[in-house]
């Protein structure tokens, strides 16, 4: 089902945005920017075609691969995951610039879906 979509991003959790931004800018040469305010605040950068999305958290968490749904259809993909008995951790919800949903692979690994807001949620 997800074989037609590529992993287009990785969510990383950091303790301090500024410290992380300095590392990714200075050590890796990536263009990193902080967006939003309050609970909507996140940091993002590009590594080739891969987006790195950062959220600040006091405790480290495992990175989350993000499948980019270029054509939309997030509601349909989530429905198919439910049919396959996947545990939906975060139902389809608003994300900066679009929609997201998270699910567990049954082994404790979190995976995420993302589609841009201008794409249809159903196909």
């Amino acid at each position: 089902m997800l074989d037609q979509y590529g992993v287009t991003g990785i969510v990383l959790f950091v303790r301090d945005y500024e410290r992380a931004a300095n590392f990714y800018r200075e050590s890796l040469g990536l263009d990193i920017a902080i967006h939003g305010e309050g609970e909507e605040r996140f940091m993002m950068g590009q590594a080739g075609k891969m987006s790195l999305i950062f959220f600040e958290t006091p405790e480290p968490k495992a990175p989350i691969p993000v499948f980019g749904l270029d054509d939309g259809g997030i509601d349909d993909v989530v429905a198919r995951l439910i049919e396959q008995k996947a545990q939906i951790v975060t139902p389809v919800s608003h994300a900066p610039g679009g929609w997201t949903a998270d699910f567990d692979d049954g082994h404790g690994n979190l995976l995420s879906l993302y589609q841009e807001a201008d794409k249809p949620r159903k196909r």
Side-chain angles (χ1 to χ4, degrees):
M1 169 188 355
L2 290 178
D3 58 338
Q4 63 183 317
Y5 305 107
V7 174
T8 58
I10 300 173
V11 174
L12 299 166
F13 298 93
V14 298
R15 288 191 177 105
D16 180 273
Y17 280 137
E18 296 303 326
R19 183 172 166 216
N22 286 337
F23 173 79
Y24 284 89
R25 281 185 195 124
E26 302 301 322
S27 299
L28 302 181
L30 301 179
D31 183 22
I32 300 289
I34 296 175
H35 304 275
E37 306 222 357
E39 289 185 17
E40 296 283 319
R41 191 172 186 207
F42 69 100
M43 189 168 72
M44 189 169 176
Q46 288 295 125
K49 294 182 180 184
M50 180 77 61
S51 295
L52 298 177
I53 306 108
F54 302 85
F55 291 101
E56 198 171 55
T57 181
E59 295 298 321
K61 297 180 184 181
I64 302 171
V66 179
F67 290 87
L69 307 178
D70 295 335
D71 299 329
I74 193 167
D75 290 334
D76 298 329
V77 173
V78 169
R80 279 185 262 144
L81 287 167
I82 291 169
E83 287 173 7
Q84 297 299 318
K85 308 291 188 232
Q87 179 186 359
I88 305 302
V89 176
T90 306
V92 176
S93 54
H94 173 66
W99 299 97
T100 189
D102 300 323
F103 61 100
D104 185 296
D105 71 351
H107 299 275
N109 298 302
L110 198 60
L111 303 162
S112 187
L113 304 170
Y114 176 82
Q115 79 165 56
E116 293 179 359
D118 64 342
K119 306 294 183 205
R121 287 182 50 178
K122 292 187 176 221
R123 290 199 258 156

